[in-house]
């Protein structure tokens, strides 16, 4: 099992298409599952977490630094007086997928189909079904509103780095610094 599978337990079940709420199966990429490795990089982002873990703080660096207080959600027994990693993940995924959707539409010569689209990402935190696995896992649902072209949605899912990381795996190096 790859590290990202063991740590994140991603399950992208459906891609919601259009305002009517039709569901389209996400492409089955399991037969190609492996790790995506990079030959180079054009950008990197760095963030640091410190303090009391999920009740500490996170800070990003770069062009527009951001610092946030973290807090366990009330539903998980916390105070809920700050952001949580799942919110941040959902925000990043929805923004990235929207960009991929608009790019896929433009490449298909149908730019207007995604100009006013919205992408909703829902990230579920829960216990894995596997009784031998401790800790938590994630499940993600992506809802696409305002674009009902299934081929464009599938192309966006194939192109989006978040989708690729969750469906194909991503190289993760954990080391002491």
């Amino acid at each position: 099992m790859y590290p990202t599978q063991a740590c994140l337990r991603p399950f992208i079940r459906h891609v919601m298409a259009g305002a009517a709420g039709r569901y389209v199966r996400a492409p089955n990429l399991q037969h190609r599952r492996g790790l995506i490795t990079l030959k180079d990089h054009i950008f990197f982002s760095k963030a640091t977490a410190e303090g009391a873990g999920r009740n500490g703080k996170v800070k990003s660096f770069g062009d527009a630094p951001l610092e946030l207080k973290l807090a366990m959600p009330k539903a998980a027994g916390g105070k809920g007086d700050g952001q949580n990693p799942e919110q941040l993940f959902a925000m990043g995924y929805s923004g990235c997928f929207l960009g991929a959707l608009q790019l896929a539409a433009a490449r298909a010569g149908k730019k207007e189909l995604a100009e006013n689209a919205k992408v909703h990402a829902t990230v579920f935190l829960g216990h894995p079904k596997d009784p031998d696995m401790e800790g938590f896992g994630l499940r993600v649902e992506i809802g696409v509103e305002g674009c009902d072209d299934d081929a464009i949605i599938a192309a966006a899912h194939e192109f989006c780095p978040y989708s690729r990381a969750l469906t194909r795996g991503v190289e993760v190096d954990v080391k002491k610094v």
Side-chain angles (χ1 to χ4, degrees), residues 74-128:
K74 285 183 181 180
K79 292 181 181 179
D81 61 347
Q83 285 66 46
N84 61 68
E86 293 73 32
Q87 284 177 303
L88 303 175
F89 188 84
M91 291 171 72
Y93 200 163
S94 61
C96 189
F97 198 98
L98 179 59
L101 184 73
Q102 291 170 341
L103 178 66
R107 285 182 173 176
K110 301 176 181 179
K111 182 179 177 181
E112 69 285 350
L113 289 181
E115 285 178 338
N116 298 314
K118 293 180 182 178
V119 174
H120 310 277
T122 306
V123 177
F124 298 88
L125 177 70
H127 297 95

Side-chain angles (χ1 to χ4, degrees), residues 54-69:
R54 292 181 64 100
N55 290 301
K57 67 179 182 177
V58 290
K59 183 188 317 184
S60 70
F61 304 89
D63 296 341
L66 177 65
E67 187 171 331
L68 298 170
K69 175 184 177 184

